[in-house]
Amino acid sequence: MPEFIINTDDNVYIPAEDSYMLADNLLIENGQSVLEIGTGSGIVAMYASKLTDKITVTDINFDACQLAEQNFKANGIENIEILFGNLFEPVKNRKFDVILFNTPYLPTEDGEVLDDTINYAFDGGLNGRKVIDMFLNEVKNHLNDGGILQMIQSSLSGNEETLQKLDELGFIAEIADSEHFFFEDITLINAYKI
């Protein structure tokens, strides 16, 4: 795997095991269009840029958009479109071949919510599914037929619930990879739109 220069920012999620699980398992073919939701530092998009030159990234955290742009420039990557906004808002009427999302999957009580932009990176609401469910409700509208969704979540936020929801939406979905950490499994779910 390529080595990249990665600048970090206190207000942006620092790439961790979940980021690299997604980056190491990308199912992207040359020429395919890719959307990454919640790009953070841009690390996954940078790996994707080695596979195709049609990449769009979004983030609800403006600091993340700026940091991703800085990281793309530092690595000489010029083929990534950066859009600020929540989930699919910035790409309203567009469809892609591959959609990537390292979801904010941690269940959070009211007292655990941070009053800072970094909160977007992990705050999954009470059951860890607040953002996951909003994302799943819209993803089909933005994925081309035959397209692939690759998402990261935690066993704490209901893997089976996600697989069932994807099944109901007409996807063929599977847990493609998982790694155990402390009190949870971080999982990569691949879903194919048929």
Side-chain angles (χ1 to χ4, degrees):
M1 278 293 182
E3 289 296 315
F4 293 109
I5 300 163
I6 302 290
N7 298 293
T8 59
D9 180 306
D10 288 346
N11 292 326
V12 180
Y13 186 71
I14 295 171
E17 291 87 351
D18 50 2
S19 313
Y20 289 103
M21 179 183 286
L22 184 52
D24 288 341
N25 288 283
L26 294 174
L27 298 175
I28 300 168
E29 293 177 17
N30 190 19
Q32 286 186 315
S33 57
V34 176
L35 171 66
E36 184 193 10
I37 301 282
T39 196
S41 67
I43 183 65
V44 173
M46 288 193 281
Y47 278 87
S49 74
K50 300 295 180 192
L51 304 171
T52 189
D53 60 0
K54 297 178 184 171
I55 301 172
T56 300
V57 299
T58 70
D59 208 296
I60 192 173
N61 177 350
F62 190 71
D63 293 328
C65 292
Q66 290 184 307
L67 179 63
E69 183 175 23
Q70 183 186 344
N71 281 328
F72 300 157
K73 283 182 178 163
N75 290 280
I77 299 170
E78 299 172 356
N79 62 342
I80 300 177
E81 174 187 31
I82 305 167
L83 301 173
F84 169 63
N86 190 25
L87 296 174
F88 296 102
E89 281 172 1
V91 291
K92 279 196 175 77
N93 299 312
R94 293 169 62 187
K95 287 192 171 194
F96 301 84
D97 298 315
V98 180
I99 296 178
L100 310 170
F101 192 17
N102 183 359
T103 68
Y105 50 69
L106 286 182
T108 46
E109 303 281 341
D110 287 345
E112 297 170 318
V113 174
L114 299 178
D115 187 23
D116 211 334
T117 53
I118 188 72
N119 191 69
Y120 291 125
F122 66 85
D123 183 0
L126 285 175
N127 62 359
R129 300 197 58 85
K130 178 175 74 175
V131 178
I132 290 171
D133 286 334
M134 284 192 298
F135 169 78
L136 291 175
N137 286 336
E138 285 189 69
V139 70
K140 196 171 182 180
N141 302 328
H142 296 278
L143 197 59
N144 288 323
D145 289 343
I148 299 172
L149 159 64
Q150 294 189 276
M151 61 182 282
I152 299 282
Q153 71 169 68
S154 162
S155 55
L156 298 177
S157 49
N159 291 327
E160 289 306 317
E161 201 172 328
T162 297
L163 292 171
Q164 183 178 342
K165 176 106 175 163
L166 285 164
D167 185 57
E168 289 165 6
L169 290 168
F171 286 83
I172 295 174
E174 64 179 0
I175 293 177
D177 197 2
S178 96
E179 205 170 328
H180 186 72
F181 296 98
F182 308 114
F183 49 86
E184 65 181 331
D185 290 330
I186 302 297
T187 54
L188 167 64
I189 294 174
N190 289 344
Y192 304 84
K193 184 179 177 185
I194 45 173

